[in-house]
């Protein structure tokens, strides 16, 4: 058993929701918790082939559903040559042309009408502690139509765009305003992605300017958490939510400072023995 789980004694597994669970190159960030039996994952993936792969590999604490999460309206899904570019938004040819290979990868090969479901209307989710979302531009739409469901969440990992890849795609600034209004604040960059500018590439290591100096910031995976200055608001973040915040921050992101703040608030509330802080500080990894 996780030492931190034994210390905090949560009453249930951490509830993780993964919207856009399509397994591409990277493993999901919450995999360490899943392997150790510390969380339950509910994933959503509307692409049939990707859903089938997820279902074949699913363990006892995983379930995957075919719903396309959005605003509850019917939209056109733009299926791209590279599945990771498939989006409810139309690829922006002018912006894509600035990036090497992106026009080819984001070429629309099919258009499919899909009915979307609001996150607030998903009956299969009773609780949500941690949200991981990667939906190629539809994040803001989902957040605006998931405010009730997100009330129980304490952390979110999402992909935010700085370079607009799709027509009318919301960018980081738009998403940040919405999440702050819901009580979340950015805590850390999980990963950033830059890409070589087109059409000129420098493959020659001896060239005066090489590829490392000709890249555009495209997007980043960002970690948002409940406002750490307001963890004392028990109506927004109850004792159980604090325990799961600590577990996710510790096991998934190595953010021991956030985990410690959650523990200290639990101690202040009388939900944990004061010795818990020293116990965690002595074995933080």
């Amino acid at each position: 058993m996780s030492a931190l789980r034994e210390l905090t004694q949560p009453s249930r597994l951490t509830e993780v929701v993964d919207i856009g669970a399509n397994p591409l190159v990277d493993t999901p960030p919450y995999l360490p918790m899943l392997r150790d039996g510390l969380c339950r994952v509910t994933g959503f993936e509307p692409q049939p082939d990707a859903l089938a792969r997820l279902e074949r590999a699913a363990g006892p604490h995983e379930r995957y559903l075919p719903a396309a999460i959005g605003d509850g309206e019917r939209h056109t899904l733009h299926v791209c040559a590279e599945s990771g570019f498939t989006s409810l938004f139309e690829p922006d040819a002018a912006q894509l042309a600035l990036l090497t290979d992106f026009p080819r990868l984001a070429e629309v090969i099919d258009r499919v009408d899909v009915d979307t479901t609001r996150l607030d209307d998903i009956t299969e989710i009773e609780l949500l502690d941690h949200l991981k979302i990667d939906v190629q531009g539809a994040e803001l739409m989902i957040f605006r139509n998931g405010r009730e469901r997100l009330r129980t969440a304490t952390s979110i990992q999402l992909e935010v765009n700085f370079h607009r890849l799709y027509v009318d795609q919301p960018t980081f600034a738009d998403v940040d305003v919405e999440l702050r209004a819901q009580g979340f604040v950015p805590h850390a960059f999980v990963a950033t992605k830059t890409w070589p500018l087109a059409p000129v590439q420098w493959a020659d290591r001896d060239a005066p300017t090489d590829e490392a100096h000709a890249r555009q910031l495209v997007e980043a995976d960002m970690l948002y958490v409940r406002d750490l200055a307001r963890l004392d608001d028990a109506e927004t973040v109850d004792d159980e939510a604090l325990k799961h915040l600590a577990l996710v921050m510790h096991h998934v992101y190595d953010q021991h400072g956030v985990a410690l703040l959650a523990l200290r608030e639990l101690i202040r509330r009388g939900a944990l023995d004061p010795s818990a802080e020293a116990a965690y500080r002595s074995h933080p990894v």
Side-chain angles (χ1 to χ4, degrees), residues 84-130:
F85 284 82
T86 295
S87 173
L88 295 180
F89 289 80
E90 179 82 31
D92 188 324
Q95 297 296 334
L96 290 166
L98 293 171
L99 303 169
T100 301
D101 287 337
F102 269 38
R104 174 180 60 83
L105 297 171
E107 179 186 359
V108 177
I109 59 175
D110 197 9
R111 289 177 172 85
V112 181
D113 289 337
V114 296
D115 292 313
T116 66
T117 304
R118 298 169 69 247
L119 181 59
D120 279 344
D121 295 335
I122 296 293
T123 59
E124 290 86 351
I125 301 174
E126 296 180 5
L127 291 168
L128 193 169
D129 296 305
H130 176 63

mmCIF file of all heavy atoms in Angstrom, residues 84-130:
data_model
loop_
_atom_site.group_PDB
_atom_site.id
_atom_site.type_symbol
_atom_site.label_atom_id
_atom_site.label_comp_id
_atom_site.label_asym_id
_atom_site.label_seq_id
_atom_site.Cartn_x
_atom_site.Cartn_y
_atom_site.Cartn_z
ATOM 1 N N GLY A 84 -4.089 12.047 -33.803
ATOM 2 C CA GLY A 84 -3.907 13.006 -32.728
ATOM 3 C C GLY A 84 -4.333 14.418 -33.091
ATOM 4 O O GLY A 84 -4.473 15.266 -32.206
ATOM 5 N N PHE A 85 -4.568 14.687 -34.381
ATOM 6 C CA PHE A 85 -5.023 16.007 -34.819
ATOM 7 C C PHE A 85 -6.543 16.061 -35.009
ATOM 8 O O PHE A 85 -7.092 17.127 -35.256
ATOM 9 C CB PHE A 85 -4.343 16.395 -36.135
ATOM 10 C CG PHE A 85 -2.906 16.825 -35.979
ATOM 11 C CD1 PHE A 85 -1.882 15.893 -35.895
ATOM 12 C CD2 PHE A 85 -2.576 18.173 -35.915
ATOM 13 C CE1 PHE A 85 -0.560 16.283 -35.757
ATOM 14 C CE2 PHE A 85 -1.256 18.579 -35.778
ATOM 15 C CZ PHE A 85 -0.251 17.637 -35.687
ATOM 16 N N THR A 86 -7.220 14.934 -34.923
ATOM 17 C CA THR A 86 -8.669 14.892 -35.120
ATOM 18 C C THR A 86 -9.362 15.784 -34.102
ATOM 19 O O THR A 86 -9.062 15.747 -32.915
ATOM 20 C CB THR A 86 -9.170 13.440 -35.004
ATOM 21 O OG1 THR A 86 -8.606 12.675 -36.078
ATOM 22 C CG2 THR A 86 -10.670 13.372 -35.059
ATOM 23 N N SER A 87 -10.301 16.602 -34.583
ATOM 24 C CA SER A 87 -10.867 17.640 -33.721
ATOM 25 C C SER A 87 -12.275 18.012 -34.168
ATOM 26 O O SER A 87 -12.666 17.799 -35.318
ATOM 27 C CB SER A 87 -9.970 18.889 -33.770
ATOM 28 O OG SER A 87 -10.559 19.977 -33.068
ATOM 29 N N LEU A 88 -13.031 18.585 -33.239
ATOM 30 C CA LEU A 88 -14.319 19.182 -33.588
ATOM 31 C C LEU A 88 -14.133 20.487 -34.350
ATOM 32 O O LEU A 88 -15.092 21.024 -34.907
ATOM 33 C CB LEU A 88 -15.146 19.440 -32.319
ATOM 34 C CG LEU A 88 -15.579 18.217 -31.515
ATOM 35 C CD1 LEU A 88 -16.373 18.648 -30.294
ATOM 36 C CD2 LEU A 88 -16.393 17.243 -32.375
ATOM 37 N N PHE A 89 -12.898 20.989 -34.377
ATOM 38 C CA PHE A 89 -12.596 22.243 -35.067
ATOM 39 C C PHE A 89 -11.920 21.963 -36.412
ATOM 40 O O PHE A 89 -11.167 20.993 -36.562
ATOM 41 C CB PHE A 89 -11.674 23.121 -34.208
ATOM 42 C CG PHE A 89 -12.332 23.706 -32.997
ATOM 43 C CD1 PHE A 89 -12.516 22.945 -31.852
ATOM 44 C CD2 PHE A 89 -12.785 25.012 -32.987
ATOM 45 C CE1 PHE A 89 -13.133 23.469 -30.728
ATOM 46 C CE2 PHE A 89 -13.405 25.553 -31.879
ATOM 47 C CZ PHE A 89 -13.579 24.778 -30.739
ATOM 48 N N GLU A 90 -12.160 22.854 -37.356
ATOM 49 C CA GLU A 90 -11.537 22.757 -38.683
ATOM 50 C C GLU A 90 -10.070 23.181 -38.588
ATOM 51 O O GLU A 90 -9.753 24.251 -38.049
ATOM 52 C CB GLU A 90 -12.265 23.682 -39.662
ATOM 53 C CG GLU A 90 -11.703 23.681 -41.060
ATOM 54 C CD GLU A 90 -12.198 22.528 -41.901
ATOM 55 O OE1 GLU A 90 -13.343 22.093 -41.679
ATOM 56 O OE2 GLU A 90 -11.445 22.072 -42.779
ATOM 57 N N PRO A 91 -9.134 22.361 -39.067
ATOM 58 C CA PRO A 91 -7.731 22.772 -39.073
ATOM 59 C C PRO A 91 -7.542 24.091 -39.821
ATOM 60 O O PRO A 91 -8.174 24.338 -40.847
ATOM 61 C CB PRO A 91 -7.026 21.616 -39.789
ATOM 62 C CG PRO A 91 -7.901 20.428 -39.518
ATOM 63 C CD PRO A 91 -9.300 20.966 -39.540
ATOM 64 N N ASP A 92 -6.672 24.946 -39.281
ATOM 65 C CA ASP A 92 -6.408 26.264 -39.848
ATOM 66 C C ASP A 92 -5.198 26.159 -40.779
ATOM 67 O O ASP A 92 -4.053 26.081 -40.322
ATOM 68 C CB ASP A 92 -6.128 27.255 -38.720
ATOM 69 C CG ASP A 92 -6.028 28.699 -39.204
ATOM 70 O OD1 ASP A 92 -5.516 28.912 -40.316
ATOM 71 O OD2 ASP A 92 -6.456 29.608 -38.464
ATOM 72 N N ALA A 93 -5.451 26.161 -42.075
ATOM 73 C CA ALA A 93 -4.394 25.914 -43.062
ATOM 74 C C ALA A 93 -3.259 26.923 -42.952
ATOM 75 O O ALA A 93 -2.081 26.567 -43.065
ATOM 76 C CB ALA A 93 -4.990 25.928 -44.468
ATOM 77 N N ALA A 94 -3.581 28.199 -42.749
ATOM 78 C CA ALA A 94 -2.545 29.227 -42.700
ATOM 79 C C ALA A 94 -1.626 29.041 -41.508
ATOM 80 O O ALA A 94 -0.404 29.205 -41.613
ATOM 81 C CB ALA A 94 -3.200 30.608 -42.661
ATOM 82 N N GLN A 95 -2.186 28.708 -40.352
ATOM 83 C CA GLN A 95 -1.367 28.518 -39.155
ATOM 84 C C GLN A 95 -0.567 27.219 -39.234
ATOM 85 O O GLN A 95 0.589 27.162 -38.817
ATOM 86 C CB GLN A 95 -2.256 28.515 -37.915
ATOM 87 C CG GLN A 95 -2.990 29.819 -37.658
ATOM 88 C CD GLN A 95 -2.052 30.973 -37.364
ATOM 89 O OE1 GLN A 95 -0.934 30.791 -36.890
ATOM 90 N NE2 GLN A 95 -2.497 32.184 -37.664
ATOM 91 N N LEU A 96 -1.176 26.183 -39.775
ATOM 92 C CA LEU A 96 -0.482 24.904 -39.915
ATOM 93 C C LEU A 96 0.702 25.021 -40.871
ATOM 94 O O LEU A 96 1.730 24.358 -40.683
ATOM 95 C CB LEU A 96 -1.447 23.836 -40.420
ATOM 96 C CG LEU A 96 -2.526 23.386 -39.438
ATOM 97 C CD1 LEU A 96 -3.602 22.607 -40.168
ATOM 98 C CD2 LEU A 96 -1.925 22.553 -38.321
ATOM 99 N N ALA A 97 0.564 25.866 -41.886
ATOM 100 C CA ALA A 97 1.617 26.006 -42.891
ATOM 101 C C ALA A 97 2.910 26.548 -42.303
ATOM 102 O O ALA A 97 3.985 26.403 -42.902
ATOM 103 C CB ALA A 97 1.141 26.911 -44.026
ATOM 104 N N LEU A 98 2.841 27.157 -41.129
ATOM 105 C CA LEU A 98 4.041 27.687 -40.480
ATOM 106 C C LEU A 98 4.890 26.603 -39.819
ATOM 107 O O LEU A 98 6.020 26.866 -39.405
ATOM 108 C CB LEU A 98 3.643 28.720 -39.417
ATOM 109 C CG LEU A 98 3.012 30.015 -39.926
ATOM 110 C CD1 LEU A 98 2.484 30.834 -38.754
ATOM 111 C CD2 LEU A 98 4.033 30.812 -40.731
ATOM 112 N N LEU A 99 4.351 25.399 -39.712
ATOM 113 C CA LEU A 99 5.006 24.338 -38.959
ATOM 114 C C LEU A 99 5.308 23.144 -39.861
ATOM 115 O O LEU A 99 4.432 22.657 -40.577
ATOM 116 C CB LEU A 99 4.120 23.906 -37.790
ATOM 117 C CG LEU A 99 3.743 25.029 -36.817
ATOM 118 C CD1 LEU A 99 2.659 24.571 -35.859
ATOM 119 C CD2 LEU A 99 4.970 25.523 -36.060
ATOM 120 N N THR A 100 6.534 22.674 -39.802
ATOM 121 C CA THR A 100 6.977 21.570 -40.643
ATOM 122 C C THR A 100 6.104 20.334 -40.438
ATOM 123 O O THR A 100 5.869 19.913 -39.300
ATOM 124 C CB THR A 100 8.446 21.213 -40.317
ATOM 125 O OG1 THR A 100 9.254 22.362 -40.543
ATOM 126 C CG2 THR A 100 8.930 20.065 -41.181
ATOM 127 N N ASP A 101 5.601 19.774 -41.535
ATOM 128 C CA ASP A 101 4.817 18.531 -41.570
ATOM 129 C C ASP A 101 3.396 18.663 -41.033
ATOM 130 O O ASP A 101 2.576 17.770 -41.234
ATOM 131 C CB ASP A 101 5.513 17.398 -40.794
ATOM 132 C CG ASP A 101 6.722 16.848 -41.523
ATOM 133 O OD1 ASP A 101 6.791 17.003 -42.759
ATOM 134 O OD2 ASP A 101 7.598 16.272 -40.858
ATOM 135 N N PHE A 102 3.068 19.751 -40.349
ATOM 136 C CA PHE A 102 1.730 19.843 -39.757
ATOM 137 C C PHE A 102 0.612 19.834 -40.805
ATOM 138 O O PHE A 102 -0.439 19.236 -40.566
ATOM 139 C CB PHE A 102 1.628 21.070 -38.852
ATOM 140 C CG PHE A 102 1.987 20.781 -37.414
ATOM 141 C CD1 PHE A 102 3.013 19.911 -37.091
ATOM 142 C CD2 PHE A 102 1.296 21.386 -36.374
ATOM 143 C CE1 PHE A 102 3.357 19.639 -35.776
ATOM 144 C CE2 PHE A 102 1.621 21.119 -35.050
ATOM 145 C CZ PHE A 102 2.655 20.247 -34.749
ATOM 146 N N PRO A 103 0.773 20.491 -41.968
ATOM 147 C CA PRO A 103 -0.302 20.413 -42.973
ATOM 148 C C PRO A 103 -0.613 18.978 -43.387
ATOM 149 O O PRO A 103 -1.772 18.614 -43.596
ATOM 150 C CB PRO A 103 0.243 21.233 -44.140
ATOM 151 C CG PRO A 103 1.174 22.211 -43.494
ATOM 152 C CD PRO A 103 1.831 21.434 -42.392
ATOM 153 N N ARG A 104 0.425 18.155 -43.496
ATOM 154 C CA ARG A 104 0.211 16.749 -43.875
ATOM 155 C C ARG A 104 -0.457 15.975 -42.740
ATOM 156 O O ARG A 104 -1.400 15.212 -42.956
ATOM 157 C CB ARG A 104 1.561 16.103 -44.228
ATOM 158 C CG ARG A 104 1.474 14.600 -44.501
ATOM 159 C CD ARG A 104 2.842 14.036 -44.848
ATOM 160 N NE ARG A 104 3.809 14.233 -43.770
ATOM 161 C CZ ARG A 104 3.902 13.409 -42.706
ATOM 162 N NH1 ARG A 104 3.090 12.381 -42.591
ATOM 163 N NH2 ARG A 104 4.823 13.633 -41.785
ATOM 164 N N LEU A 105 0.016 16.179 -41.522
ATOM 165 C CA LEU A 105 -0.520 15.433 -40.380
ATOM 166 C C LEU A 105 -1.969 15.813 -40.091
ATOM 167 O O LEU A 105 -2.770 14.972 -39.652
ATOM 168 C CB LEU A 105 0.338 15.692 -39.142
ATOM 169 C CG LEU A 105 1.793 15.220 -39.229
ATOM 170 C CD1 LEU A 105 2.585 15.730 -38.031
ATOM 171 C CD2 LEU A 105 1.862 13.707 -39.319
ATOM 172 N N ALA A 106 -2.310 17.083 -40.325
ATOM 173 C CA ALA A 106 -3.657 17.573 -40.014
ATOM 174 C C ALA A 106 -4.569 17.585 -41.236
ATOM 175 O O ALA A 106 -5.642 18.197 -41.198
ATOM 176 C CB ALA A 106 -3.567 18.972 -39.413
ATOM 177 N N GLU A 107 -4.185 16.903 -42.292
ATOM 178 C CA GLU A 107 -5.057 16.831 -43.466
ATOM 179 C C GLU A 107 -6.358 16.125 -43.100
ATOM 180 O O GLU A 107 -6.345 15.023 -42.521
ATOM 181 C CB GLU A 107 -4.372 16.069 -44.601
ATOM 182 C CG GLU A 107 -5.232 15.931 -45.840
ATOM 183 C CD GLU A 107 -4.601 15.052 -46.905
ATOM 184 O OE1 GLU A 107 -3.469 14.569 -46.669
ATOM 185 O OE2 GLU A 107 -5.248 14.845 -47.944
ATOM 186 N N VAL A 108 -7.470 16.749 -43.411
ATOM 187 C CA VAL A 108 -8.768 16.158 -43.093
ATOM 188 C C VAL A 108 -9.082 15.081 -44.132
ATOM 189 O O VAL A 108 -9.174 15.360 -45.328
ATOM 190 C CB VAL A 108 -9.873 17.227 -43.072
ATOM 191 C CG1 VAL A 108 -11.239 16.583 -42.815
ATOM 192 C CG2 VAL A 108 -9.572 18.272 -41.998
ATOM 193 N N ILE A 109 -9.250 13.844 -43.646
ATOM 194 C CA ILE A 109 -9.534 12.728 -44.551
ATOM 195 C C ILE A 109 -10.985 12.284 -44.461
ATOM 196 O O ILE A 109 -11.455 11.500 -45.277
ATOM 197 C CB ILE A 109 -8.598 11.537 -44.266
ATOM 198 C CG1 ILE A 109 -8.745 11.056 -42.818
ATOM 199 C CG2 ILE A 109 -7.151 11.918 -44.572
ATOM 200 C CD1 ILE A 109 -7.940 9.797 -42.515
ATOM 201 N N ASP A 110 -11.705 12.789 -43.474
ATOM 202 C CA ASP A 110 -13.119 12.445 -43.348
ATOM 203 C C ASP A 110 -13.785 13.453 -42.417
ATOM 204 O O ASP A 110 -13.119 14.063 -41.560
ATOM 205 C CB ASP A 110 -13.284 11.035 -42.791
ATOM 206 C CG ASP A 110 -14.683 10.469 -43.015
ATOM 207 O OD1 ASP A 110 -15.478 11.101 -43.750
ATOM 208 O OD2 ASP A 110 -14.979 9.393 -42.455
ATOM 209 N N ARG A 111 -15.056 13.643 -42.598
ATOM 210 C CA ARG A 111 -15.863 14.477 -41.719
ATOM 211 C C ARG A 111 -17.064 13.666 -41.268
ATOM 212 O O ARG A 111 -17.802 13.140 -42.108
ATOM 213 C CB ARG A 111 -16.296 15.773 -42.407
ATOM 214 C CG ARG A 111 -15.160 16.772 -42.626
ATOM 215 C CD ARG A 111 -15.640 18.017 -43.374
ATOM 216 N NE ARG A 111 -14.605 19.054 -43.409
ATOM 217 C CZ ARG A 111 -13.642 19.093 -44.307
ATOM 218 N NH1 ARG A 111 -13.574 18.149 -45.245
ATOM 219 N NH2 ARG A 111 -12.735 20.059 -44.277
ATOM 220 N N VAL A 112 -17.236 13.574 -39.974
ATOM 221 C CA VAL A 112 -18.285 12.729 -39.407
ATOM 222 C C VAL A 112 -19.114 13.572 -38.440
ATOM 223 O O VAL A 112 -18.555 14.224 -37.540
ATOM 224 C CB VAL A 112 -17.683 11.517 -38.661
ATOM 225 C CG1 VAL A 112 -18.790 10.640 -38.105
ATOM 226 C CG2 VAL A 112 -16.765 10.720 -39.583
ATOM 227 N N ASP A 113 -20.416 13.554 -38.602
ATOM 228 C CA ASP A 113 -21.283 14.253 -37.662
ATOM 229 C C ASP A 113 -21.397 13.441 -36.380
ATOM 230 O O ASP A 113 -21.649 12.224 -36.420
ATOM 231 C CB ASP A 113 -22.672 14.458 -38.265
ATOM 232 C CG ASP A 113 -22.681 15.497 -39.381
ATOM 233 O OD1 ASP A 113 -21.768 16.346 -39.393
ATOM 234 O OD2 ASP A 113 -23.590 15.450 -40.221
ATOM 235 N N VAL A 114 -21.174 14.090 -35.244
ATOM 236 C CA VAL A 114 -21.235 13.400 -33.954
ATOM 237 C C VAL A 114 -22.098 14.196 -32.985
ATOM 238 O O VAL A 114 -22.120 15.431 -33.010
ATOM 239 C CB VAL A 114 -19.828 13.209 -33.340
ATOM 240 C CG1 VAL A 114 -18.980 12.301 -34.212
ATOM 241 C CG2 VAL A 114 -19.127 14.547 -33.129
ATOM 242 N N ASP A 115 -22.812 13.474 -32.168
ATOM 243 C CA ASP A 115 -23.568 14.093 -31.082
ATOM 244 C C ASP A 115 -22.672 14.146 -29.857
ATOM 245 O O ASP A 115 -22.076 13.132 -29.464
ATOM 246 C CB ASP A 115 -24.823 13.285 -30.768
ATOM 247 C CG ASP A 115 -25.840 13.337 -31.895
ATOM 248 O OD1 ASP A 115 -26.098 14.448 -32.387
ATOM 249 O OD2 ASP A 115 -26.366 12.272 -32.276
ATOM 250 N N THR A 116 -22.559 15.307 -29.253
ATOM 251 C CA THR A 116 -21.726 15.439 -28.059
ATOM 252 C C THR A 116 -22.592 15.411 -26.807
ATOM 253 O O THR A 116 -23.795 15.695 -26.855
ATOM 254 C CB THR A 116 -20.897 16.729 -28.083
ATOM 255 O OG1 THR A 116 -21.773 17.863 -28.003
ATOM 256 C CG2 THR A 116 -20.054 16.807 -29.352
ATOM 257 N N THR A 117 -21.969 15.070 -25.696
ATOM 258 C CA THR A 117 -22.643 15.009 -24.400
ATOM 259 C C THR A 117 -21.947 15.950 -23.437
ATOM 260 O O THR A 117 -20.708 15.974 -23.377
ATOM 261 C CB THR A 117 -22.602 13.574 -23.827
ATOM 262 O OG1 THR A 117 -23.177 12.677 -24.779
ATOM 263 C CG2 THR A 117 -23.364 13.489 -22.522
ATOM 264 N N ARG A 118 -22.711 16.732 -22.711
ATOM 265 C CA ARG A 118 -22.139 17.622 -21.703
ATOM 266 C C ARG A 118 -21.548 16.795 -20.563
ATOM 267 O O ARG A 118 -22.124 15.796 -20.142
ATOM 268 C CB ARG A 118 -23.205 18.567 -21.149
ATOM 269 C CG ARG A 118 -23.818 19.486 -22.175
ATOM 270 C CD ARG A 118 -25.046 20.203 -21.639
ATOM 271 N NE ARG A 118 -24.682 21.189 -20.613
ATOM 272 C CZ ARG A 118 -25.003 21.108 -19.335
ATOM 273 N NH1 ARG A 118 -25.692 20.081 -18.879
ATOM 274 N NH2 ARG A 118 -24.638 22.054 -18.504
ATOM 275 N N LEU A 119 -20.407 17.225 -20.056
ATOM 276 C CA LEU A 119 -19.806 16.542 -18.914
ATOM 277 C C LEU A 119 -20.773 16.509 -17.736
ATOM 278 O O LEU A 119 -20.859 15.508 -17.014
ATOM 279 C CB LEU A 119 -18.498 17.247 -18.520
ATOM 280 C CG LEU A 119 -17.719 16.633 -17.351
ATOM 281 C CD1 LEU A 119 -17.334 15.188 -17.642
ATOM 282 C CD2 LEU A 119 -16.473 17.474 -17.050
ATOM 283 N N ASP A 120 -21.527 17.569 -17.549
ATOM 284 C CA ASP A 120 -22.492 17.611 -16.453
ATOM 285 C C ASP A 120 -23.616 16.585 -16.612
ATOM 286 O O ASP A 120 -24.316 16.285 -15.638
ATOM 287 C CB ASP A 120 -23.111 19.013 -16.340
ATOM 288 C CG ASP A 120 -22.211 19.987 -15.603
ATOM 289 O OD1 ASP A 120 -21.270 19.532 -14.926
ATOM 290 O OD2 ASP A 120 -22.445 21.208 -15.708
ATOM 291 N N ASP A 121 -23.806 16.063 -17.830
ATOM 292 C CA ASP A 121 -24.886 15.112 -18.080
ATOM 293 C C ASP A 121 -24.435 13.660 -18.060
ATOM 294 O O ASP A 121 -25.246 12.758 -18.292
ATOM 295 C CB ASP A 121 -25.551 15.420 -19.430
ATOM 296 C CG ASP A 121 -26.253 16.766 -19.435
ATOM 297 O OD1 ASP A 121 -26.645 17.232 -18.350
ATOM 298 O OD2 ASP A 121 -26.384 17.365 -20.529
ATOM 299 N N ILE A 122 -23.158 13.412 -17.798
ATOM 300 C CA ILE A 122 -22.644 12.043 -17.772
ATOM 301 C C ILE A 122 -23.038 11.391 -16.449
ATOM 302 O O ILE A 122 -22.528 11.732 -15.380
ATOM 303 C CB ILE A 122 -21.114 12.018 -17.936
ATOM 304 C CG1 ILE A 122 -20.719 12.565 -19.303
ATOM 305 C CG2 ILE A 122 -20.573 10.605 -17.752
ATOM 306 C CD1 ILE A 122 -21.140 11.702 -20.463
ATOM 307 N N THR A 123 -23.963 10.438 -16.512
ATOM 308 C CA THR A 123 -24.470 9.809 -15.285
ATOM 309 C C THR A 123 -23.511 8.763 -14.718
ATOM 310 O O THR A 123 -23.622 8.398 -13.550
ATOM 311 C CB THR A 123 -25.832 9.154 -15.554
ATOM 312 O OG1 THR A 123 -25.688 8.173 -16.605
ATOM 313 C CG2 THR A 123 -26.856 10.190 -15.989
ATOM 314 N N GLU A 124 -22.584 8.281 -15.549
ATOM 315 C CA GLU A 124 -21.662 7.244 -15.067
ATOM 316 C C GLU A 124 -20.648 7.786 -14.070
ATOM 317 O O GLU A 124 -19.979 7.018 -13.376
ATOM 318 C CB GLU A 124 -20.915 6.605 -16.237
ATOM 319 C CG GLU A 124 -21.769 5.738 -17.146
ATOM 320 C CD GLU A 124 -22.466 6.531 -18.226
ATOM 321 O OE1 GLU A 124 -22.440 7.784 -18.188
ATOM 322 O OE2 GLU A 124 -23.040 5.901 -19.132
ATOM 323 N N ILE A 125 -20.485 9.111 -14.014
ATOM 324 C CA ILE A 125 -19.512 9.717 -13.094
ATOM 325 C C ILE A 125 -20.252 10.239 -11.870
ATOM 326 O O ILE A 125 -21.094 11.125 -11.967
ATOM 327 C CB ILE A 125 -18.755 10.877 -13.768
ATOM 328 C CG1 ILE A 125 -18.010 10.385 -15.005
ATOM 329 C CG2 ILE A 125 -17.770 11.511 -12.783
ATOM 330 C CD1 ILE A 125 -17.375 11.506 -15.795
ATOM 331 N N GLU A 126 -19.925 9.683 -10.720
ATOM 332 C CA GLU A 126 -20.499 10.177 -9.470
ATOM 333 C C GLU A 126 -19.579 11.203 -8.812
ATOM 334 O O GLU A 126 -20.046 12.191 -8.251
ATOM 335 C CB GLU A 126 -20.756 9.013 -8.510
ATOM 336 C CG GLU A 126 -21.798 8.020 -9.023
ATOM 337 C CD GLU A 126 -22.027 6.885 -8.055
ATOM 338 O OE1 GLU A 126 -21.442 6.918 -6.943
ATOM 339 O OE2 GLU A 126 -22.788 5.959 -8.390
ATOM 340 N N LEU A 127 -18.283 10.950 -8.879
ATOM 341 C CA LEU A 127 -17.288 11.846 -8.300
ATOM 342 C C LEU A 127 -16.141 12.016 -9.276
ATOM 343 O O LEU A 127 -15.854 11.119 -10.078
ATOM 344 C CB LEU A 127 -16.761 11.307 -6.965
ATOM 345 C CG LEU A 127 -17.730 11.308 -5.782
ATOM 346 C CD1 LEU A 127 -17.152 10.489 -4.636
ATOM 347 C CD2 LEU A 127 -18.012 12.733 -5.320
ATOM 348 N N LEU A 128 -15.480 13.152 -9.194
ATOM 349 C CA LEU A 128 -14.331 13.433 -10.046
ATOM 350 C C LEU A 128 -13.281 14.125 -9.188
ATOM 351 O O LEU A 128 -13.519 15.208 -8.667
ATOM 352 C CB LEU A 128 -14.757 14.318 -11.220
ATOM 353 C CG LEU A 128 -13.816 14.501 -12.416
ATOM 354 C CD1 LEU A 128 -14.551 15.179 -13.560
ATOM 355 C CD2 LEU A 128 -12.579 15.310 -12.069
ATOM 356 N N ASP A 129 -12.123 13.461 -9.019
ATOM 357 C CA ASP A 129 -11.025 14.062 -8.261
ATOM 358 C C ASP A 129 -10.005 14.712 -9.185
ATOM 359 O O ASP A 129 -9.598 15.850 -8.973
ATOM 360 C CB ASP A 129 -10.326 12.997 -7.400
ATOM 361 C CG ASP A 129 -11.229 12.407 -6.342
ATOM 362 O OD1 ASP A 129 -11.788 13.186 -5.550
ATOM 363 O OD2 ASP A 129 -11.389 11.166 -6.309
ATOM 364 N N HIS A 130 -9.592 13.969 -10.212
ATOM 365 C CA HIS A 130 -8.551 14.449 -11.123
ATOM 366 C C HIS A 130 -9.029 14.278 -12.553
ATOM 367 O O HIS A 130 -9.525 13.211 -12.935
ATOM 368 C CB HIS A 130 -7.253 13.674 -10.912
ATOM 369 C CG HIS A 130 -6.164 14.050 -11.871
ATOM 370 N ND1 HIS A 130 -5.609 15.315 -11.919
ATOM 371 C CD2 HIS A 130 -5.530 13.332 -12.845
ATOM 372 C CE1 HIS A 130 -4.677 15.358 -12.865
ATOM 373 N NE2 HIS A 130 -4.615 14.179 -13.442
#
